[in-house]
Amino acid sequence: MQASDRFNINSQLEHLQAKYVGTGHADLNRFEWAVNIQRDSYASYVGHYPLLAYFAIAENESIGRERYNFMQKMLLPCGLPPEREDE
């Protein structure tokens, strides 16, 4: 692999990280990463009807109620953020 290839790959990665929030970046902490993963999962559950129907049957709820519950969980999927230690 040449130096120009590495530069090209890094520039493509930086472009993806700027364009899509869920791809992360160097300063992303563990909590923010977990929030991104959980929100992506809930959005996928709501967006794919068969998966939403599966969850509704498994929890014995209506599909609309499951959709509402998933959208509510998207607000704080991992609870409150931890307190930061500013130095």
Side-chain angles (χ1 to χ4, degrees), residues 3-4 22 47 70:
S4 62
F70 285 140

Side-chain angles (χ1 to χ4, degrees), residues 74-85:
M74 288 174 80
L75 295 176
L76 288 174
C78 298
L80 295 174
E83 295 181 15
R84 294 185 181 202
E85 297 178 7

Side-chain angles (χ1 to χ4, degrees), residues 49-66:
Y49 186 81
L51 197 53
L52 187 62
Y54 173 79
F55 282 117
I57 290 170
E59 294 185 11
N60 197 23
E61 293 281 351
S62 69
I63 292 173
R65 173 58 61 182
E66 278 301 307

Side-chain angles (χ1 to χ4, degrees), residues 20-35:
Y20 301 108
V21 176
T23 56
H25 52 81
D27 297 329
L28 192 69
N29 63 26
R30 184 180 181 133
F31 177 79
E32 292 171 346
W33 178 80
V35 166

